[in-house]
Amino acid sequence: MAETVRVGVYGASGYTGSELLRILLRHPNVSISALTADRKAGQQMKDVFPQFTGVDLPVLTTITEVDPHKLDVVFCALPHGTTQHVVADLMMQRPELKIVDLSADFRLENPEEYARWYGHAHEALDQQKEAVYGLTELYREKIKGTRLLANPGCHSGTSIIPMVPLLKAGIVDADNIVIDSKTGMSGAGRGASEGMLFSEVAEGTHAYGVGKHRHTSELDQEFSKAAGRPVFASFTPHLLPMIRGIYATIYLRTLGGAKPEDLHRVLADAYAGETFIQILPFGQVPQSRHVKGSNNCQLGVIADRMDGRAIVISTTDNLMKGASGQAVQNFNLMCGFDEATALAGPALFP
Amino acid sequence: MAETVRVGVYGASGYTGSELLRILLRHPNVSISALTADRKAGQQMKDVFPQFTGVDLPVLTTITEVDPHKLDVVFCALPHGTTQHVVADLMMQRPELKIVDLSADFRLENPEEYARWYGHAHEALDQQKEAVYGLTELYREKIKGTRLLANPGCHSGTSIIPMVPLLKAGIVDADNIVIDSKTGMSGAGRGASEGMLFSEVAEGTHAYGVGKHRHTSELDQEFSKAAGRPVFASFTPHLLPMIRGIYATIYLRTLGGAKPEDLHRVLADAYAGETFIQILPFGQVPQSRHVKGSNNCQLGVIADRMDGRAIVISTTDNLMKGASGQAVQNFNLMCGFDEATALAGPALFP
Amino acid sequence: MAETVRVGVYGASGYTGSELLRILLRHPNVSISALTADRKAGQQMKDVFPQFTGVDLPVLTTITEVDPHKLDVVFCALPHGTTQHVVADLMMQRPELKIVDLSADFRLENPEEYARWYGHAHEALDQQKEAVYGLTELYREKIKGTRLLANPGCHSGTSIIPMVPLLKAGIVDADNIVIDSKTGMSGAGRGASEGMLFSEVAEGTHAYGVGKHRHTSELDQEFSKAAGRPVFASFTPHLLPMIRGIYATIYLRTLGGAKPEDLHRVLADAYAGETFIQILPFGQVPQSRHVKGSNNCQLGVIADRMDGRAIVISTTDNLMKGASGQAVQNFNLMCGFDEATALAGPALFP
Amino acid sequence: MAETVRVGVYGASGYTGSELLRILLRHPNVSISALTADRKAGQQMKDVFPQFTGVDLPVLTTITEVDPHKLDVVFCALPHGTTQHVVADLMMQRPELKIVDLSADFRLENPEEYARWYGHAHEALDQQKEAVYGLTELYREKIKGTRLLANPGCHSGTSIIPMVPLLKAGIVDADNIVIDSKTGMSGAGRGASEGMLFSEVAEGTHAYGVGKHRHTSELDQEFSKAAGRPVFASFTPHLLPMIRGIYATIYLRTLGGAKPEDLHRVLADAYAGETFIQILPFGQVPQSRHVKGSNNCQLGVIADRMDGRAIVISTTDNLMKGASGQAVQNFNLMCGFDEATALAGPALFP
């Protein structure tokens, strides 16, 4: 592939869109060639996100104004449902295009599961078959060869990273997984709603999507593949009064006399050499702020007071490893660049 | 008892102390007669907490400067360990005194459990025998007759309220309880430490005391009593970037084909008529901000996507129903006042 | 007036409405007889504000459904512009009614000023003539006799309290007043807008309405009356990442060799005996959190390093002394109750 | 100078230290050769700041353990007072060393001013004479040639950037400058103190150092130089419940009939071509969050309702352009690197 790739960001006026841009501006092999935002077409990026004042960028346009033949890669940061039509069109118009999709549309391999969780039949089934689930550390080789990448959900990826090696190793009870996940508000997006106002969500917390959050479907898919049989974890997400961060506290029962230290060893082995996954020393508790603004995932394993129980904690930045950072990591692989290009570095803390 | 009781607050310069004062200033039958704060003795309350500017209050003194014979009731908001000596002395010096203790010193009935969790032998065993665990809704009658009240821990009380009726009813699996609890920072107290600085804890979250938090011992005691056999729940507390609030997300398995709706019914029946406990309609998710600044506990029961599983959520204000509000509720009973005196009213929201 | 007054709250689904209710529920002489919220008519208050779960309240209705003859007092917490028509109708239908208006509609005595600042002619001029500006400490006697009370704006009241005595005393330069005011987000109301989302406003600050905020018109009116000549202060409000609080930092030049200590004395004299205004010792800096949730205003006077300059700081809770608390204080006077009924007490801190 | 410079960070366990490290890890010409933290000597950086887990760094040592002959550049992020001795020693031991000092010790050219503001005589007067005040955009040429750089205070730099061109142009009244500055909590550092606890500072604001904050002395120095005569602005800093950000609202009177638009033009001309200073369109209000985590300074000029008055707003990230980013910008110049190396890029927003 060429030294410089021409990139389009579809849906640039949302938080994952602006975060993609923040990362890509550091990327030595990227030329930002198109930015779309249907409702804000005609505006400059700096009007929508003043942090880009002084940065030379294309004006925002509608999707239909973009000529995909002038692009090598498209990042889709559009709402689910809409996305599958946009992607199908793009792939038919320009088969050479590589697409990194941040929506939920191509994450589920089984269209029946998609229909069940999203409430309508999938309408781009042919394209779906090509999609690769973009948890880089698990599917690195497949990702290198795909032209359609389905970037994981923020809650999903954060829990899949620790759980897949543990389930593959067969040392935790797959029928007894409880995941209590917490997220910052930016995961709720930029659409104005009463429930997301500062005065409504600061100084308090609450669970949402209890017992039925859609990211659960990704957990089912990946956990079941790892365990080799159906797995249906308990999963409850919570909104916290902070902007960024996913923090999954996972309650496990060990099998065959395995100790918490054994879980730690499995994770350390599975992710040895990974740039973006850090296994903390056994017993050390991660903090979401220590990955804020970075593409890192920090994992901790802690013993419970009772034998046979362990707590595993995984934390990421929902806009980075949970969305745009993960997307660029996949993009790097798809384009033959070093996987960490434009992504390496520690959190912004404090 | 007399129309007006003379009250001393021991440890008035901490958050539970100032919160006691905030409540008691509204109480028509209370005269604030002594305020202690050993390290700040000689100062005015308004120097320590400027919100009391303009309020006529006794100057802060050391404990030894107080004559307990001039008091009818003492609220002890002192560190654990210290408290047991202070309480033993007070009870010997002035047997008629009523004591509401907000520390952990008298919460555990079994001194061996105390020694195991707190790392040293209990040194006021005689007094311990008299202590009543002050979860008002569970032990109302005993509380009326005691002179030593052990006020529950904030995490403990918040989880005990929903769990005791469910365990008594025998409709949830006592061997499979996971409690993921979240708290605001005020629960960590007013002692200066790097880890509690704004810049360290805003914009992020983390678990603490994982697998071994001391409030777990209160859960063991009360859950086991309710179930009639030993119960050892999984319990992990988290610090959230908010000042007040406890939010316990409880993951349960039902027994004997019980449905989540049955759990809701058990709780609604158990707490019918209670002033400070509100059962939300089935499926409604509580929010900690809706109890902030109030003595209320709001409970929600939500179905999981899988049969046989349910999520129960309980939320309180850690300084109110989780500490000082609960303490005054007990005080009211102990003194023969209406239980809700100085306590009724909705949250400060937003 | 009767022992119990029948109160209607018009616009009960906004923040000033819910705050009125929180206060009035504590009031021994109030019966909540009507609650309106046009767009949420038919809902229960607890559906709109779950903190009222368990409280017995009238269902929300439209304004037209209310029979004003069944009310003694109406609190109007409606948008400006709309309000003047509602008030005019009410006063014609039921002349005995007392009205406390929290909107901006009746605050400006000069209709031309109203037209200039609000962009349209005033349409209830007859009623305007009766309105009394409801800064209790300044207009107590007039307030007792009025049936139409115009409750001050939150920024305005907070700055008027310290400035009026100083201007009357003639010891500060009326041509050189700079007011840098800061407010929590609840002042922006509950209407959903992108700019008020948590992710947009947490972790940052910005000025708004710079050079032209409408509350300036109230400052002009009251400052000019106090000084006996036109005064046009510089005034810039800022949004801070907190829910409640107004914090006005006022930069002054003294006249005639007056010292900062003299300013302090003027304020101490002016507000001696006031329940809700506390003058901190000279040099002590107020903090907005020390009035949060209370009806208090705390004032500080601090010397600058240069002779002839002083800094005066005033802080209130924008929903209390800045809106609903101030409204109830006025209501108490208008109904002949003790001014502090349902309002006394220190801040919720921490 | 060599392709790679060997850098020591003295005081690496504070916030400016960790921020320096975050930036320098991206710098292609830097080798981190020494990290000191006297009280945490022997620990790893990841023990003190877990965001550095997985990054290969020297262990923390005491200053005396470092051999300055193995370093080319030292960043001093030590407390004021201490620093002057450390710097004097370093310069005597190793004259070739370049030093970027982030403390206040060498910022004031006049030792009498230093003594007056800091309460003790300066004890490194010889070195003081060599120091260059490191506001890059004002002193670029001098900075290139110095071996001792005095990095500006966070409040100071943020206000000096807009004020110096305006004062030089003579279009604002130098006797009538009011600067109301706001800062996030990270500016207060990492030392544990009650007043900086989350529960003490969240949900509220307050001024500090009123009338006498030490950064004022830097304003006096730079403003007076620019105006060609003594200037003593009014300056009051405030603590806001956010981690990062300086936001200076500056109230000005124009001279000679100058309009606010003229001020805007002066600033646009003065900073045309600067990488890190962005002049927003006339009338647009900056927000601190739009520079968070970046080295940018955004400036706005807004008209007041009254002729002859204007509001100028300047915002930076206190740890970046206000400290460590500014320091690296100076370091780049001192070492002959491109000024923006490791620093370019937009804010982390949201």
Side-chain angles (χ1 to χ4, degrees), chain A:
Chain A
M1 188 160 240
E3 178 77 336
T4 294
V5 296
R6 297 165 299 171
V7 167
V9 176
Y10 283 27
S13 64
Y15 293 148
T16 52
S18 69
E19 188 74 352
L20 280 168
L21 213 45
R22 185 179 74 88
I23 302 167
L24 293 172
L25 285 169
R26 278 205 228 162
H27 201 298
N29 307 101
V30 162
S31 151
I32 307 287
S33 301
L35 297 173
T36 86
D38 277 15
R39 275 173 301 181
K40 298 190 174 173
Q43 294 188 44
Q44 300 283 343
M45 203 55 194
K46 69 177 176 181
D47 301 328
V48 178
F49 283 112
Q51 71 265 32
F52 294 108
T53 303
V55 182
D56 193 32
L57 288 170
V59 74
L60 294 168
T61 66
T62 61
I63 289 174
T64 52
E65 290 174 272
V66 180
D67 177 358
H69 294 90
K70 295 186 176 162
L71 298 176
D72 301 308
V73 181
V74 165
F75 287 92
C76 264
L78 300 169
H80 82 84
T82 308
T83 300
Q84 51 199 261
H85 302 289
V86 172
V87 166
D89 283 355
L90 280 172
M91 290 175 77
M92 282 184 285
Q93 275 188 70
R94 178 156 158 74
E96 305 80 1
L97 199 67
K98 293 173 196 294
I99 299 174
V100 179
D101 178 28
L102 287 88
S103 86
D105 277 16
F106 295 96
R107 290 176 192 160
L108 299 186
E109 297 167 6
N110 181 341
E112 286 170 30
E113 285 298 298
Y114 179 87
R116 196 161 69 85
W117 285 92
Y118 288 89
H120 62 92
H122 202 287
E123 293 170 341
L125 290 175
D126 286 348
Q127 289 76 20
Q128 170 59 55
K129 283 172 198 140
E130 288 194 42
V132 174
Y133 190 72
L135 210 306
T136 322
E137 288 77 7
L138 301 184
Y139 298 110
R140 190 170 274 124
E141 291 313 310
K142 279 191 185 173
I143 290 166
K144 286 179 183 171
T146 192
R147 60 171 187 154
L148 176 54
L149 191 294
N151 215 54
C154 53
H155 284 294
S156 329
T158 308
S159 284
I160 289 168
I161 288 172
M163 286 310 301
V164 161
L166 296 175
L167 287 166
K168 280 188 178 162
I171 57 169
V172 296
D173 181 358
D175 293 328
N176 219 323
I177 302 168
V178 171
I179 302 178
D180 190 281
S181 197
K182 295 99 181 159
T183 180
M185 307 300 305
S186 61
R190 210 183 195 191
S193 76
E194 182 183 294
M196 297 299 127
L197 295 177
F198 183 92
S199 299
E200 298 285 319
V201 292
E203 268 297 299
T205 187
H206 64 285
Y208 68 103
V210 183
K212 55 179 194 235
H213 190 279
R214 283 164 168 177
H215 286 185
T216 314
S217 61
E218 297 173 52
L219 301 182
D220 288 357
Q221 172 177 291
E222 300 300 318
F223 288 6
S224 297
K225 277 200 277 186
R229 66 178 180 80
V231 176
F232 304 103
S234 292
F235 169 73
T236 303
H238 298 74
L239 275 172
L240 264 55
M242 60 192 201
I243 299 175
R244 290 170 177 243
I246 300 276
Y247 194 87
T249 310
I250 308 178
Y251 299 84
L252 296 170
R253 306 249 166 168
T254 61
L255 291 182
K259 296 188 170 176
E261 289 85 346
D262 298 321
L263 277 58
H264 187 258
R265 202 166 308 120
V266 166
L267 291 175
D269 290 348
Y271 295 119
E274 289 292 348
T275 304
F276 296 116
I277 301 186
Q278 290 116 36
I279 318 293
L280 301 184
F282 182 75
Q284 187 177 330
V285 178
Q287 304 200 13
S288 69
R289 50 188 71 82
H290 295 145
V291 300
K292 186 180 63 174
S294 82
N295 198 46
N296 296 330
C297 172
Q298 294 200 343
L299 299 178
V301 180
I302 304 106
D304 191 67
R305 58 175 177 144
M306 304 296 285
D307 287 343
R309 302 202 305 216
I311 296 104
V312 171
I313 296 176
S314 175
T315 188
T316 63
D317 179 321
N318 56 300
L319 292 179
M320 288 293 293
K321 186 67 179 169
S324 305
Q326 173 70 87
V328 174
Q329 191 181 353
N330 288 321
F331 158 86
N332 281 333
L333 282 182
M334 291 163 75
C335 294
F337 302 132
D338 182 284
E339 191 177 319
T341 311
L343 288 172
L348 188 82
F349 172 81

Side-chain angles (χ1 to χ4, degrees), chain B residues 2 8 20 153 186 210 215 238 350:
Chain B
L20 280 168
S186 61
V210 183
H215 286 184
H238 298 74

